[in-house]
Amino acid sequence: MEVTRRNFMKITGATAAGVAVSQLGFDLSPVKSHAQMIKTSYAKETTTICCYCAVGCGAIVHTSKKGDGRVINIEGDPDHVINRGSLCAKGAAISQLTENDNRMTEPMYRAPYSKKWEKVSWDWALNEIAKRVKETRDATFTKKNDKDQVVNRTTGIASVGSAAMDNEECWIYQTLMRALGLVYIEHQARI
Amino acid sequence: MKGKAFFIDTTLCTACRGCQVACKQWHDLPAEKTVNRGSYQNPEDLSFFTYKLLRMKEEVVDGKLKWLFFPDQCRHCIEPPCKDQAGDPDAVYSDPATGAVLYTANTKGLDPDELECPYDIPRKGPDGIIAKCDMCNDRVHNGLLPACVKTCPTGAMNFGDLAEMTDLAKKRLEKAREKYPKAALLDPLDVRVIYLVTESPDLYHESAVAAFRPVRGVTRQSALKKLIKPFTSMAS
Amino acid sequence: MTNHWIDIKNSDCILIMGSNAAENHPISFKYVTEAMENGAKLINVDPRFTRTSAKADFYTALRSGTDIAFLGGMIKYIMDNKLYNYEYVRQYTNAPFIVNKDFNFKDGLFSGYDKEKRAYDKKKWAFDMDEDGVPKMDRELADERCVFNLLKQHFNRYDVKTVSSITGTSEEDLLTVYKTYSATGVTGKAATIMYAMGWTQHTVGVQNIRTMAIIQLLLGNMGVAGGGVNALRGESNVQGSTDHCLLWHIWPGYLGTPRASMKKLSDYHEKNTPKTNDPLSANWWGNKPKYMVSTLKSFFGKNATKHNDFGYNWMPKVDNGVHYSWLDLFDEMYKGNIEGFFSWGQNPACSGTNAGKNREGMKNLKWMVNVNLFDNETGSFWNGPGMNPSTIKTEVFMLPACVSVEKEGSITNSGRWMQWRYQGPKPLGNSRPDGDIIMDLGDRIRKLYENDPGAFPEAILNLKWDYLTHGEYDPHKVAKEINGYFLKDITVKGKAFKKGTLVPSFAYLKDDGSTSSGNWLYCNSYTEKGNMSARRSGKDASNNIGLYPEFSWCWPVNRRIIYNRASVDLSGQPWDKENPVIAWNGKKWEGDVPDGGWPPMLTEDGKPNPKAKHPFIMRPHGHAQIYGPGRADGPFPEHYEPLECPVAENMISGNSQLVNPTAAIYSTKADAHASCDARFPFVGTTYRVVEHWQTGLMTRPQPWLMELQPQMFVEMSEELGKLRGIENGERVKVSSARGSVECSAIVTKRFKPFKIGGVDIHQIGLPWHFGWRWPESGAEESANLLTPPTGDPNTRIPETKAFMVNVAKLT
């Protein structure tokens, strides 16, 4: 996604930083030289919508085209008609949500009575979860309620979440949970 | 007068603190370890790692409670006392294009107090270098607004040519006076960061205007000469 | 929101009550500011002075849990002073409807109350019908049994003096608010309400909002630019996740979950599809069978046939009269009745009311799956305060989801705008998009059932589950499924469509299985013209009121202001000439997408137009509901105290019920509550601040935000600080009947004691952003350890906004 138009402001009296600063005629320190560079100059730009409140502000994500391909900068999208480039304290911090050493990057497992987490593979984790779902579902499935009405459900499994997921994810999630027979399906909107 | 300026209209500031974080984000500044001291304001003060600070004070004025918000930062003085005091253009200099007052690594060894900033802005880091707001000079030269201005939702933070900002400040002052008779601009002729406030400036922060009083026990001789005069508003 | 964020700029008067928009929806203040610059008045009502209050033209405080009294006083003020918009009220609302004489209100109870069931028989609240089966009306509003006069009578008890003694707001301040706000009853003026969980999280949550909706209708503020009833939703996609029904009681697009009594699809249609005999009522929900069948076609694809009722019985049903909501779910978990638990992108160990009960309940699970960006108090509950891991059997699988900027898909904002997001960086480490995890898990479960059928495999194996492209989750495929397809070559409404093409809008959906649509409300969002949510045109519509119709897409059918047919008079001309939402040009509507294309109520020569429809098309009778006989707790709002409150009696006259007689109540030993109890003398409330979000899970692990707001805190008045010997910044303990939390004290002028019934009542407030996992000190805990085990009878949203606490210095 290319962002094509920006509300660039005009610089009067200076065309390029390099010219203006070098006229001073002395050696440039780090601060001076960084005036000529901009960290987002060669980054990939994508648009996003802020992940916090529901105002739905637009932001531009600058991702490094080189090296680790990580986020360099995230700031308000000036072409977004709601926020026009602005962001609050949380929105201004999305880059730190993304590039954050506290994030989980591997599936983890806590065994019964254990005091610790163990790193596990996706393959193992999802297979084990699928087995638990089937086991519990098969054991607790109710075809008919006590009034002999067909209900085809399980009250042995419950789900909460999530308003943090995308629309498409919410839709397939509820479809899967309902097909499994869950009726305890709730999320943030209730609380 | 050439160059750039900020106009900060505190009547529009909601203390969302987007500016404070956007500044850290753009400059890759680390967070400081803070505690809740019985206030929302944090960190407690500007520092080597905090160039922009949303100061928040609760004051009762004429029997009415006010929560005063003051996005504090370097004023990029038109004749910066710190530049004179440093006396070393390799340490402190102004960008002639923008008017940004810029500090380099060569400030190492200087004492922030000796720079006699009338607004008490410069702060020393762990390795002895002094730092403060750099007007996002890199952004400005690349046609972008300073990070704090870009992120401001309400129009409290503004940036542009000095003359344009001075005009805006006057216009906004006139408008503000309809609601707030005591509204005033702070040191509008001396700085590139013009604040519009509605109450007595010392209620916002002791160094909101060029300080009359010694800050941290230092008398600011040269600053006094250049900047400190009775608090007046441009329009009065 | 009935309107949207940008539209706030068109308002003449903005009431922020039950929300703190400057802090929790900061960018909304771009438009609040713009309105104020153009002369609008900003009124803020909140128990404590906030950053919103700091910007308001007028601020006043009320005690938490007394909003109906506050607003009920405004209804009385409007009625007594005849400030209502007479024409609007009599033409577009149910004010003229005649209510059957079975309806009455005595001693705080509406007719039909069953004490055993703690529920009403709503049949007692019906309208009188004429011989054609249309509600009897008196458009002159003279009949003493018409809604208008019953409303007047009901709220006559809400005089300013009584209201003041309940809310603690001065009489003078009440009158200032009433006068300023109700000035917009004049034709051409608009006022808006910005509310959030400050209104919903009460045992009278729905009725808080009803009271305001009544005010908006009386003043003619619905459907117009700068008006509306605007819920400021708190999470980036909580609107979308609600539309896509991650809730027990609804199916996509607010279709009801099938009940056990609805054996066949025809029973479902019969019970759920409202009917009208009024030829002037559009009764849009009459289309429900088309939406239901199209949904089933999306669920089960070609496996859903007419022969098998489109798979209707494969999906689970809920028992009649039973609730399966959040409070009930955790009640069951606490009682040991739930084995397996998915906590997917949520943190119930901190987010739910009475969170200590939730944490205890988690010990009873066999297994838990916790999907999140960060380790949290839920996934690590076994390692939390007071837990002994060696006694806790629960297996926990913790799956790392990626951040929103690392994946592609759409979210829907509070103004109902669906907006597409793109992938920036790839997911960090081995984290994955939620969609990818869901598809993968679904595939593995389906494989298990293919190999070993187990219990009732039909639903699982018949599910349409083909949303991968090159082995990866494809959000575009799902987005198209949500929009819906024509499943065969077909002609609808004179237009021919090809099999396999996308349905242009829900008006073309069918109930015979020839169309699919995963969510009818989103039908029109991804069509043959492309992905509407990805549009970015900055051009406004011709009416120039900030609709930006080609920027993203909004439901329904890109209508930016809903109920907009009420923004015009009977001839189709805008009440507000300066900010017209729609206008009839003699042939068609111009401006926003109208609420149906039917002509205005009157023809050009001023005669009733038989082709017209009443403007409130989602109501069976086409009129907005001042009288709401569908609610669980009464057709009119009434002030009741919170379950935990500081007073012994309801101070409204003619009401001997202290608490909402239908409020949800729970009774395990973890559900203690204490009213008028000397141990807990102060009113407590919870809230959010700009620096954090929700339980803090997406903000507490972030150093920049922790720098701004590092610790759990409690705000209290200087008077209370003095009373308890607490200095600003000291650590204190806040406790309730359920638990206690250590906090840093903010002793502030922004809180003031309330004069309630002549007595000083103190209130404190706490953010609910903290939890023991982050910061790593473990000392900052969740305010929800304090909050009470009760909720609204309609929504069962917990009452986390008003409860009783004590505050003491840490010794």
Side-chain angles (χ1 to χ4, degrees), chain A residues 1 44 46-57 61 63 69-71 77 79-84 86 88-90 93 95-98 100 102-110 112-115 117 122-123 126-134 136-138 141 143 145 149-153 155-163 165-191, chain C residues 5-6 24 26-27 30-31 201 233-237 240-242 244-251 260-261 313 316-317 319 325-326 332 339-342 344-346 367 372-374 379-380 382 389-390 392-396 398 400 403 406-410 412-414 419-426 430-432 434-435 440 444 448-449 452 454-456 459-460 463 473 475 478 518 536 548 551 690 692-693 698 701-704 774 795 797-798:
Chain A
M1 167 86 203
K44 174 177 98 169
T46 50
T47 58
T48 192
I49 304 296
C50 179
C51 54
Y52 292 106
C53 87
V55 173
C57 297
V61 181
T63 306
R70 299 308 306 168
V71 168
D77 177 354
D79 291 335
H80 195 283
V81 299
I82 296 176
N83 62 309
R84 305 272 179 192
S86 63
C88 72
K90 289 191 289 289
S95 67
Q96 200 176 58
L97 176 75
T98 311
N100 191 312
N102 293 324
R103 273 181 66 182
M104 288 197 292
T105 54
E106 300 290 344
M108 307 291 271
Y109 173 69
R110 186 259 175 182
Y113 309 115
S114 170
K115 291 187 171 112
W117 289 107
W122 273 106
D123 204 43
L126 291 178
N127 278 338
E128 292 302 308
I129 294 165
K131 279 191 235 164
R132 300 297 182 284
V133 169
K134 184 164 192 302
T136 300
R137 182 182 177 277
D138 288 352
F141 201 80
K143 279 196 150 183
N145 67 6
Q149 295 162 321
V150 175
V151 292
N152 286 333
R153 69 178 180 223
T155 51
I157 307 175
S159 164
V160 300
S162 174
M165 290 201 287
D166 290 350
N167 283 319
E168 298 74 26
E169 294 169 334
C170 290
W171 191 86
I172 54 168
Y173 186 69
Q174 64 85 28
T175 305
L176 179 63
M177 290 295 145
R178 290 197 151 93
L180 290 172
L182 268 70
V183 287
Y184 285 118
I185 299 173
E186 287 281 274
H187 83 294
Q188 285 93 339
R190 183 75 67 195
I191 54 172
Chain C
W5 295 107
I6 297 171
N24 300 324
I27 310 305
K30 188 178 209 59
Y31 299 102
Q201 292 175 339
R233 307 214 62 181
E235 287 160 279
S236 60
N237 197 33
S241 59
T242 307
H244 296 305
C245 62
L246 286 169
L247 293 164
W248 77 268
H249 70 294
I250 47 171
W251 271 28
S261 62
N313 270 321
K317 293 198 185 66
D319 282 344
S325 82
W326 180 277
E332 288 297 304
E339 279 186 17
F341 180 54
F342 287 94
W344 202 300
Q346 196 165 5
W367 53 269
N372 222 307
L373 310 179
F374 301 93
S380 284
W382 47 272
S390 61
I392 298 170
K393 194 175 170 196
T394 314
E395 277 183 295
V396 187
M398 194 127 81
V403 174
E406 295 169 336
K407 65 183 180 185
E408 194 175 354
S410 75
T412 303
N413 79 359
S414 197
Q419 306 194 82
W420 199 261
R421 306 196 277 207
Y422 296 85
Q423 187 185 46
K426 292 203 160 52
N430 278 323
S431 67
R432 294 169 70 180
D434 294 288
D440 197 347
R444 287 170 203 255
L448 288 182
Y449 275 93
D452 168 16
F456 196 69
I460 302 168
L463 199 62
Y473 160 70
V478 183
R536 287 179 58 87
Y548 298 101
F551 194 96
V690 70
H692 285 288
W693 189 68
M698 275 163 60
Q702 282 195 68
W704 288 330
W774 313 96
T795 60
I797 290 177

Side-chain angles (χ1 to χ4, degrees), chain C residues 261-281:
Chain C
S261 62
M262 305 166 191
K263 288 181 186 164
K264 292 182 296 189
L265 185 57
S266 55
D267 298 332
Y268 179 91
H269 290 336
E270 172 65 26
K271 288 274 181 211
N272 285 284
T273 313
K275 290 162 198 68
T276 180
N277 291 331
D278 185 348
L280 292 179
S281 177

Side-chain angles (χ1 to χ4, degrees), chain C residues 172-237:
Chain C
E172 191 192 343
D173 281 6
L174 287 170
L175 287 169
T176 302
V177 175
Y178 297 168
K179 193 177 165 193
T180 310
Y181 196 85
S182 54
T184 61
V186 173
T187 297
K189 292 281 175 199
T192 189
I193 168 65
M194 297 166 71
Y195 78 92
M197 309 315 277
W199 272 358
T200 59
Q201 292 175 339
H202 291 279
T203 41
V204 292
V206 165
Q207 299 290 3
N208 281 334
I209 295 144
R210 285 262 310 130
T211 319
M212 193 66 217
I214 291 170
I215 291 171
Q216 288 298 67
L217 290 170
L218 289 174
L219 299 174
N221 282 333
M222 293 304 298
V224 300
V229 171
N230 293 302
L232 313 186
R233 307 214 62 181
E235 287 160 279
S236 60
N237 197 33

Side-chain angles (χ1 to χ4, degrees), chain C residues 47 49 111 122 124-125 154-155 193 200 204 211 218 233 299 310 327 343 346 395 447 454 512 524 587 590 630 696:
Chain C
F49 189 102
S111 45
K122 294 184 225 171
K124 301 280 185 205
W125 308 339
H154 185 79
F155 283 101
I193 168 65
T200 59
V204 292
T211 319
L218 289 174
R233 307 214 62 181
F299 283 170
F310 301 105
L327 285 165
S343 179
Q346 196 165 5
E395 277 183 295
K447 202 153 281 167
D512 60 0
N524 185 232
K587 289 193 180 100
E590 289 177 342

